[in-house]
């Protein structure tokens, strides 16, 4: 009688206990996320902050159920590859790769760990997604992420609204930067459609950027500086030249506006990282990364600097100020 009545009850109790233990184990799961970036920049730091904020908003908080291992290659590709090998050998739960060099190194080496890339200009050319995998489609691999392809045409169209009568624009770029060469090509095409002329100055170091700005300042009606690290590293000196010569200075980088550029219509890297973090949260919740579409950031921000405008001989129209996402008045 004893044997016939109680074994089913004991079995039910055992199953219940096992189920609770399994749920508790799942609840206490600590996810390890490897973060790899090529260099330390304001943009990459904002990207990672946005990434972590999105995860936290989804319930994945550092020191609670997430551990981040943040690695910086300091511009060394061999170190970037070594970082990926470390994440691979230690079987991390997910890798966040910031920038094209690190993302390429990661995707090339990793097949079994989910990879979320961000701040990559062209994921297809970089080999991160299949050639036929257009933005908004699924990769069907272990990879997904967010592209920050620079909207060169939209930027130039916006800046010509500030100066509709300006027909001669100047720009400066590093001749050895493939990223810059691609942006300049798009800028030429856009300028042709808009019916304006672009005078180009090609440089090989930051000192030459200052010389180029001084040379062009007397020949153009405005500057548009693309996202070129070498040129932007000399921004303060270029701003000084533009202020002296009364030449409006527009850039692709939002961070340049508080430093003295008149305006920038561009990407918010925190938003890029946040979008990538939302994809990472879905993966940690059980989704296959290959089923989460990769995409581009569609929202652009317009930031203007009224003080810089006055220094560069311009008065901003109320309409443009109204359209701005941020106005720097002092």
């Amino acid at each position: 009688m004893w044997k016939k009545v109680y074994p089913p009850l004991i079995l039910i109790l055992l199953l219940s206990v096992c189920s609770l233990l399994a749920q508790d184990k799942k609840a206490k799961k600590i996810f390890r996320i490897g973060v790899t970036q090529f260099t330390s920049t304001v943009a990459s730091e904002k990207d990672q902050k946005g990434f972590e904020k999105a995860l936290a908003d989804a319930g994945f908080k550092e020191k609670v159920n997430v551990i981040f291992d943040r690695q910086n290659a300091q511009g060394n590709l061999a170190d970037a590859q070594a970082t990926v090998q470390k994440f691979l050998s230690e079987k991390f739960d997910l890798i966040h790769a910031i920038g094209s060099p690190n993302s390429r190194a990661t995707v090339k080496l990793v097949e079994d760990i989910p990879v979320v890339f961000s701040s990559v200009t062209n994921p297809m050319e970089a080999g991160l997604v299949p050639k036929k995998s257009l933005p908004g489609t699924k990769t069907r691999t272990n990879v997904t992420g967010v592209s920050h392809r620079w909207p060169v045409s939209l930027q130039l169209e916006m800046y010509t609204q500030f100066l509709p009568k300006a027909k001669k624009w100047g720009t400066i770029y590093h001749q050895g930067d493939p990223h810059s060469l691609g942006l300049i090509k798009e800028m030429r095409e856009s300028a042709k459609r808009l019916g304006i002329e672009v005078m180009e100055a090609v440089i090989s170091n930051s000192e030459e950027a200052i010389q180029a700005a001084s040379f062009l300042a007397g020949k153009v009606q405005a500057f548009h500086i693309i996202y070129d690290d070498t040129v932007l590293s000399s921004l303060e000196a270029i701003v000084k030249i533009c202020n002296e010569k009364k030449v409006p200075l527009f850039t692709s980088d939002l961070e340049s506006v508080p430093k003295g550029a008149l305006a920038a219509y561009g990407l918010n890297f925190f938003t890029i990282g946040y979008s990538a973090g939302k994809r990472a949260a879905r993966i940690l919740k059980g989704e296959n990364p290959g089923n989460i579409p990769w995409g581009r950031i569609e929202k652009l921000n317009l930031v203007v600097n009224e003080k810089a405008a006055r220094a560069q001989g311009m008065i901003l129209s109320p309409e443009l100020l109204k359209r701005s996402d941020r106005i720097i008045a002092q």
Side-chain angles (χ1 to χ4, degrees):
M1 184 64 130
W2 179 273
K3 291 182 181 181
K4 289 181 181 180
V5 173
Y6 287 94
L9 180 59
I10 294 172
L11 181 60
I12 291 171
L13 289 172
L14 286 173
L15 288 173
S16 298
V17 170
C18 290
S19 177
L20 289 171
L21 288 173
Q23 290 177 16
D24 186 60
K25 183 178 179 180
K26 186 177 181 180
K28 292 181 179 180
K29 163 77 175 176
I30 304 297
F31 295 95
R32 293 194 302 163
I33 300 177
V35 181
T36 170
Q37 61 187 79
F38 198 58
T39 56
S40 181
T41 64
V42 172
S44 62
E45 295 298 332
K46 284 193 171 186
D47 182 318
Q48 180 59 21
K49 286 182 179 179
F51 183 85
E52 293 176 15
K53 181 63 166 62
L55 283 174
D57 288 347
F60 299 100
K61 299 180 180 180
E62 187 172 15
K63 296 181 181 179
V64 177
N65 54 356
V66 171
I67 295 174
F68 291 103
D69 187 337
R70 305 175 182 88
Q71 298 293 326
N72 189 328
Q74 302 293 343
N76 189 311
L77 186 57
D79 287 348
Q81 293 170 335
T83 293
V84 177
Q85 291 285 9
K86 173 182 181 294
F87 294 156
L88 189 60
S89 63
E90 295 182 11
K91 298 181 180 179
F92 274 59
D93 296 291
L94 185 142
I95 297 175
H96 178 209
I98 305 173
S100 296
N102 282 20
S103 295
R104 280 196 298 267
T106 303
V107 172
K108 185 177 180 180
L109 295 171
V110 178
E111 295 181 355
D112 299 324
I113 298 174
V115 175
V116 179
F117 64 80
S118 60
S119 296
V120 174
T121 302
N122 194 325
M124 286 181 283
E125 284 186 4
L128 309 183
V129 301
K131 290 292 183 182
K132 295 183 180 180
S133 179
L134 298 175
T137 61
K138 302 172 183 179
T139 64
R140 304 298 183 186
T141 66
N142 64 314
V143 180
T144 187
V146 184
S147 167
H148 79 320
R149 186 172 183 84
W150 290 96
V152 179
S153 295
L154 293 176
Q155 288 174 332
L156 196 54
E157 287 173 13
M158 172 61 76
Y159 302 152
T160 55
Q161 293 178 42
F162 282 77
L163 293 166
K165 294 182 179 180
K167 297 301 178 183
K168 286 190 176 182
W169 289 69
T171 194
I172 308 167
Y173 61 95
H174 191 295
Q175 62 183 351
D177 188 338
H179 174 65
S180 294
L181 294 178
L183 296 180
I184 285 296
K185 182 180 178 182
E186 290 186 39
M187 186 174 176
R188 291 176 190 144
E189 295 170 351
S190 180
K192 187 176 180 180
R193 288 194 301 270
L194 293 168
I196 61 177
E197 176 187 353
V198 176
M199 294 185 67
E200 303 174 11
V202 184
I203 64 166
S204 56
N205 57 58
S206 57
E207 290 183 4
E208 290 181 3
I210 300 170
Q211 296 169 8
S214 183
F215 173 76
L216 288 175
K219 297 177 173 59
V220 300
Q221 295 166 282
F223 276 103
H224 170 34
I225 305 300
I226 60 171
Y227 195 84
D228 184 298
D229 288 326
T230 304
V231 180
L232 291 174
S233 68
S234 300
L235 182 70
E236 291 182 4
I238 295 173
V239 166
K240 185 177 180 181
I241 292 169
C242 289
N243 290 348
E244 290 174 353
K245 300 291 185 179
K246 302 301 179 187
V247 181
L249 173 63
F250 301 87
T251 73
S252 295
D253 178 30
L254 298 181
E255 301 300 324
S256 298
V257 184
K259 298 175 183 177
L262 189 153
Y265 185 52
L267 306 166
N268 185 319
F269 281 90
F270 182 90
T271 303
I272 293 170
Y274 194 90
S275 183
K278 287 169 64 177
R279 288 168 167 80
R282 290 171 62 180
I283 293 169
L284 297 184
K285 289 179 179 179
E287 285 192 58
N288 187 319
N291 291 332
I292 302 174
W294 74 276
R296 293 176 181 165
I297 288 295
E298 297 178 356
K299 167 67 175 172
L300 300 180
N301 294 101
L302 176 62
V303 180
V304 300
N305 187 327
E306 287 186 304
K307 182 179 178 181
R310 291 192 296 270
Q312 294 161 20
M314 265 200 71
I315 298 176
L316 298 171
S317 71
E319 181 185 349
L320 286 170
L321 289 173
K322 187 176 181 181
R323 293 172 61 184
S324 302
D325 296 284
R326 181 187 174 196
I327 300 172
I328 299 172
Q330 300 296 328

